Amino acid sequence: MSERIRDFLRRRDDDGPCVVVDLDIVSDNFQAFARSLPDTSVYYAVKANPAPEILSLLESLGSSFDCASVGEIELVLATGASADRISYGNTIKKERDIARAFEHGVRLFAVDCIEEVEKIARVAPGSKIFCRVLCDGVGAEWPLSRKFGCDPEMATDVLEYAHRLGLTAYGVSFHVGSQQANLEAWDFALAMAAGVFREMALRGIELKMVNMGGGFPTRYLKDVPGVPRYGEAIFQALCRHFGNQLPSTIIEPGRGMVGNAGMIEAEVVLISRKSAQDDMRWVYLDIGKFNGLAETMDEAIRYPIRTPRDGDRTTPCVLAGPTCDSVDVLYEKTPYQLPVSLSIGDKVLIEACGAYTTTYSSVGFNGFAPLASHVI
Amino acid sequence: MSERIRDFLRRRDDDGPCVVVDLDIVSDNFQAFARSLPDTSVYYAVKANPAPEILSLLESLGSSFDCASVGEIELVLATGASADRISYGNTIKKERDIARAFEHGVRLFAVDCIEEVEKIARVAPGSKIFCRVLCDGVGAEWPLSRKFGCDPEMATDVLEYAHRLGLTAYGVSFHVGSQQANLEAWDFALAMAAGVFREMALRGIELKMVNMGGGFPTRYLKDVPGVPRYGEAIFQALCRHFGNQLPSTIIEPGRGMVGNAGMIEAEVVLISRKSAQDDMRWVYLDIGKFNGLAETMDEAIRYPIRTPRDGDRTTPCVLAGPTCDSVDVLYEKTPYQLPVSLSIGDKVLIEACGAYTTTYSSVGFNGFAPLASHVI
């Protein structure tokens, strides 16, 4: 709970739901990553929250940046960061976007197939590439699909091919899955990465870098391990699999960097029941899946919610958003306990909303504005 | 397939994915509804596609409008339509938004509980209200949740309460579920509506209107009944349940009005496999769940896709979007047949994209722009 955010909300005079991000917490998070993994470079995953104030703060703290598009690259360059602090981490890129990134000075690119290597060789000659390897994501709250990465055998062929086309076969990346609470996940992935390093060495190519991706969790309602425990587990796994030849390493925290730094203020629009006999209250907020809380999809993330009636007796409620869309329901399979005294017009605070809220917002579904954002 | 859209796409010189909507098809769709249900007022569901050109066309054709928010109401008024052609059809409204709508001249409001009736009585005195009744949505491709509506017994109490507070208890609404291909669904719902009319008559209150909602399907890959067959089935059901005292009726087509009028042009960004032995191709487009194709969620809607290689041999592909988000996969459980000759850089046409594409777009997830829209 950030007192600075509460103060800001007390003073604000605009109407409607908004997210407020506290830069002090982002700064603390950056320092925690830097301290816990002192030999690892932090590449902030811009997609989690690309607010210019957040990017500028992280630039000033010495962070590097993981970008998904030329649009994100340009946002980062606008902070004054040099292009050598940028990784174009999307494995799916148009050739003309690779060319634009190269013109901007970007020299580090993700790939997971030879087709992408060919594009980079054509328009970003001499660049460093890292190959993303499929990882099974066991233990993650959101295991990833197979969308990104290739199997480790194919990765060695992709890297060798890049080398032959004059690119620098630089390393390997993986992603253990979002909101990953299982510290062992990195051990499994690092073992696989070390295998690719060994195979490449046999082919006469020395890889340099392991990009360990993101997946660092934010605390929602369930407890999660703290950053220091991740740092320890990751360092031990690195030593176990790479011995005394530790590669240079990168992490790409997004949610872990900004998730707990933001809070949404929303308003109770309606509280009703479906029939006279119905015990279940439906509570409708002015925020839902289409203007900020997309990550409640499948009720995957359960945000902590504070109300002005906390302490009163609670009963289970279905919680829903304000649009005329029946999928715009936040918690129904597992109803949310809310005070019986909660009233129409009450303001509620939704915690840990700094990541993946503003940018998931629709442009104006049902005529509602995208989530307003304040960074303080 | 609209030749006008194909011509436009051949001539356009902007880059990136876009949707193009053909107003001639919207006009045809409006006429089909008007002809098939000659005694029913058409209230276009603005949320399906609020492009100003579409609203202006429908205004000139005599359509009325179903609005989900004050934002949508203001878009409609900007066409020159008078406020008596607007229904504020969202059952979830802030009291101050009801007041703003009332100031704009809106006098027709949806409710599904007494709490909402109280708000309307306070700030929109004398208005007409209709109560939404829960409907089970059997047969719909997207059955609705219980988010909107109350049970019929409660509806009578809500309407009576509105009457007592000085509002006009005007009618009943229901929604049979989106993309509803079962003509019987309206029969079931109209029987329920007629029951509410009878009960209200016993209480001395004469209801006037049945709002039959939307749910009219667009043809994607599967065939659906045409509008005339819906018109016939609905008219028969009205006669069966209301006899010679037919109420005035409203329909709220959204998808049925604009779905087949729009086409998206997208580009193949990457085609790859996950391992050397893998038979399955992954095809990545520059459009996905976050910049236009949100309705592929759960693979619910299967869009027809045309490629410049149609006619060549096809094999199944996983189809995915361009973002660094693993949920941004369009068709994976049921892969999509695409030509083996399909190549990186090819343009593809995605049909029946006129509804629920532009407004579901995120404001800029991963730094990609929202879906561009052209109305011709």
Side-chain angles (χ1 to χ4, degrees):
Chain A
M1 293 297 286
S2 156
E3 259 323 301
R4 294 183 64 222
I5 294 179
R6 287 179 171 274
D7 279 349
F8 177 87
L9 288 172
R10 271 190 288 271
R11 288 194 316 270
R12 80 160 173 145
D13 50 12
D14 54 332
D15 192 29
C18 72
V19 64
V20 186
V21 174
D22 182 342
L23 287 175
D24 288 352
I25 300 177
V26 178
S27 181
D28 289 348
N29 290 338
F30 180 82
Q31 305 297 355
F33 281 115
R35 261 198 316 273
S36 302
L37 287 159
D39 298 317
T40 296
S41 301
V42 175
Y43 280 66
Y44 171 59
V46 175
K47 60 182 175 290
N49 191 330
E53 301 90 337
I54 294 173
L55 300 181
S56 288
L57 169 73
L58 290 170
E59 192 281 327
S60 71
L61 294 172
S63 184
S64 292
F65 299 90
D66 165 43
C67 294
S69 66
V70 173
E72 288 190 353
I73 288 168
E74 290 171 351
L75 283 175
V76 169
L77 293 174
T79 68
S82 54
D84 61 359
R85 288 162 69 180
I86 292 174
S87 165
Y88 195 164
N90 194 339
T91 53
I92 308 154
K93 300 175 288 300
K94 289 182 182 172
E95 189 165 319
R96 55 192 183 278
D97 286 339
I98 297 169
R100 283 169 67 202
F102 188 76
E103 282 163 30
H104 279 310
V106 175
R107 295 293 181 269
L108 181 60
F109 296 90
V111 300
D112 66 0
C113 62
I114 60 165
E115 292 79 1
E116 198 74 9
V117 167
E118 286 172 345
K119 294 180 199 168
I120 295 169
R122 278 193 292 270
V123 299
S127 290
K128 295 188 267 197
I129 66 113
F130 56 92
C131 186
R132 180 151 167 184
V133 182
L134 271 168
C135 202
D136 76 348
V138 169
E141 286 205 10
W142 285 17
L144 305 179
S145 78
R146 292 168 54 84
K147 181 175 177 187
F148 307 104
C150 59
D151 76 9
E153 291 71 39
M154 184 163 141
T156 55
D157 291 339
V158 167
L159 287 163
E160 185 177 0
Y161 187 67
H163 176 77
R164 277 197 275 131
L165 292 188
L167 298 168
T168 301
Y170 192 59
V172 169
S173 75
F174 56 78
H175 197 295
V176 294
S178 189
Q179 191 69 4
Q180 177 60 270
N182 176 10
L183 299 173
E184 301 292 308
W186 278 270
D187 186 72
F188 171 82
L190 284 167
M192 194 170 59
V196 176
F197 269 61
R198 279 193 300 274
E199 173 62 27
M200 294 306 293
L202 292 177
R203 300 186 191 189
I205 298 166
E206 190 194 354
L207 298 182
K208 298 268 174 42
M209 183 272 286
V210 177
N211 177 341
M212 302 187 286
F216 305 97
T218 272
R219 190 179 183 286
Y220 295 103
L221 277 179
K222 277 193 284 187
D223 246 327
V224 296
V227 169
R229 287 191 51 210
Y230 281 87
E232 204 178 310
I234 288 171
F235 184 71
Q236 287 172 1
L238 274 168
C239 295
R240 187 152 51 240
H241 299 296
F242 287 89
N244 55 5
Q245 291 197 296
L246 290 189
S248 75
T249 49
I250 279 177
I251 53 170
E252 298 172 333
R255 188 185 307 280
M257 188 75 86
V258 293
N260 69 339
M263 207 184 286
I264 282 175
E265 184 175 68
E267 179 178 332
V268 177
V269 180
L270 182 64
I271 303 176
S272 65
R273 295 167 202 267
K274 295 293 159 190
S275 73
Q277 302 76 38
D278 202 350
D279 283 337
M280 182 69 76
R281 284 175 300 158
W282 280 68
V283 174
Y284 301 91
L285 301 177
D286 62 356
I287 190 167
K289 279 200 159 57
F290 298 104
N291 59 340
L293 300 181
E295 289 210 314
T296 56
M297 198 60 68
D298 301 324
E299 309 193 8
I301 285 185
R302 223 165 157 80
Y303 292 103
I305 300 175
R306 311 255 177 168
T307 81
R309 322 278 180 170
D310 287 353
D312 290 0
R313 188 170 67 85
T314 65
T315 62
C317 299
V318 177
L319 199 64
T323 66
C324 284
D325 195 312
S326 64
V327 310
D328 186 15
V329 174
L330 307 176
Y331 302 115
E332 182 175 19
K333 282 176 246 161
T334 310
Y336 206 100
Q337 289 284 336
L338 288 170
V340 290
S341 50
L342 191 70
S343 302
I344 294 172
D346 280 356
K347 295 287 176 71
V348 301
L349 292 176
I350 309 174
E351 295 181 9
C353 285
Y356 300 110
T357 49
T358 51
T359 55
Y360 268 130
S361 266
S362 76
V363 290
F365 189 55
N366 271 230
F368 293 112
L371 181 61
S373 165
H374 304 281
V375 180
I376 61 173
Chain B
M1 292 295 286
S2 156
E3 260 322 302
R4 294 182 65 222
I5 294 178
R6 287 179 172 272
D7 279 349
F8 177 88
L9 288 171
R10 271 190 288 270
R11 289 194 315 270
R12 80 160 172 142
D13 49 14
D14 54 331
D15 192 29
C18 71
V19 65
V20 187
V21 174
D22 183 342
L23 288 176
D24 288 352
I25 300 177
V26 178
S27 181
D28 290 348
N29 290 338
F30 179 83
Q31 304 298 354
F33 282 115
R35 261 198 316 273
S36 301
L37 287 157
D39 298 317
T40 297
S41 301
V42 175
Y43 281 66
Y44 171 60
V46 174
K47 60 182 175 290
N49 191 328
E53 301 91 336
I54 294 173
L55 300 182
S56 288
L57 169 73
L58 289 171
E59 191 281 327
S60 71
L61 294 173
S63 184
S64 292
F65 300 91
D66 164 44
C67 294
S69 65
V70 172
E72 288 191 352
I73 288 169
E74 291 171 350
L75 283 175
V76 169
L77 292 173
T79 68
S82 54
D84 61 358
R85 289 162 69 180
I86 291 174
S87 165
Y88 196 162
N90 194 340
T91 53
I92 308 152
K93 300 175 289 298
K94 290 182 181 172
E95 188 164 319
R96 55 192 185 277
D97 286 340
I98 298 169
R100 283 169 67 201
F102 188 76
E103 282 162 30
H104 280 311
V106 175
R107 295 293 181 271
L108 181 60
F109 296 89
V111 300
D112 66 0
C113 61
I114 60 165
E115 291 81 0
E116 197 74 8
V117 167
E118 286 171 346
K119 295 180 198 168
I120 295 170
R122 278 193 292 270
V123 298
S127 291
K128 295 188 268 195
I129 66 112
F130 56 93
C131 186
R132 182 152 167 181
V133 183
L134 271 169
C135 201
D136 75 349
V138 170
E141 286 203 12
W142 285 16
L144 306 179
S145 77
R146 292 169 55 84
K147 181 175 177 187
F148 308 104
C150 60
D151 77 10
E153 292 71 37
M154 184 164 143
T156 55
D157 292 340
V158 167
L159 287 162
E160 186 177 359
Y161 187 66
H163 177 78
R164 278 198 274 132
L165 293 188
L167 297 168
T168 300
Y170 193 58
V172 169
S173 75
F174 56 79
H175 197 294
V176 294
S178 188
Q179 191 70 3
Q180 176 60 268
N182 176 10
L183 300 173
E184 302 292 308
W186 277 269
D187 186 72
F188 171 81
L190 284 167
M192 196 169 59
V196 176
F197 269 59
R198 280 193 300 275
E199 174 63 26
M200 293 307 292
L202 292 177
R203 301 186 190 189
I205 298 166
E206 189 194 355
L207 298 182
K208 297 269 175 40
M209 186 271 287
V210 177
N211 177 342
M212 302 186 287
F216 306 96
T218 272
R219 188 180 184 286
Y220 296 102
L221 278 179
K222 276 194 284 188
D223 246 327
V224 296
V227 170
R229 288 190 52 208
Y230 281 88
E232 205 177 312
I234 288 171
F235 184 70
Q236 286 173 1
L238 275 168
C239 295
R240 190 153 47 241
H241 300 296
F242 287 89
N244 56 6
Q245 290 195 296
L246 291 189
S248 75
T249 49
I250 280 176
I251 53 171
E252 298 172 332
R255 188 186 306 280
M257 187 75 86
V258 294
N260 69 339
M263 206 185 284
I264 281 175
E265 184 174 68
E267 180 178 332
V268 177
V269 180
L270 182 64
I271 303 176
S272 64
R273 295 167 201 267
K274 296 291 159 193
S275 73
Q277 302 77 37
D278 201 349
D279 283 337
M280 183 69 77
R281 285 175 299 158
W282 280 69
V283 174
Y284 301 91
L285 302 178
D286 61 357
I287 189 167
K289 278 201 160 57
F290 298 104
N291 59 340
L293 300 181
E295 289 210 313
T296 56
M297 198 60 69
D298 300 323
E299 310 194 8
I301 284 185
R302 220 162 160 82
Y303 292 103
I305 300 176
R306 311 254 177 170
T307 81
R309 323 275 180 172
D310 287 353
D312 290 1
R313 188 170 68 86
T314 64
T315 62
C317 300
V318 177
L319 199 64
T323 64
C324 284
D325 194 311
S326 64
V327 309
D328 186 15
V329 174
L330 307 177
Y331 302 115
E332 182 174 18
K333 283 176 243 159
T334 310
Y336 206 99
Q337 289 284 336
L338 288 169
V340 290
S341 50
L342 191 70
S343 302
I344 293 172
D346 280 357
K347 295 285 175 71
V348 301
L349 293 176
I350 309 175
E351 295 181 10
C353 286
Y356 300 110
T357 48
T358 51
T359 53
Y360 268 130
S361 267
S362 75
V363 289
F365 189 55
N366 271 228
F368 293 112
L371 181 62
S373 165
H374 305 281
V375 180
I376 62 172

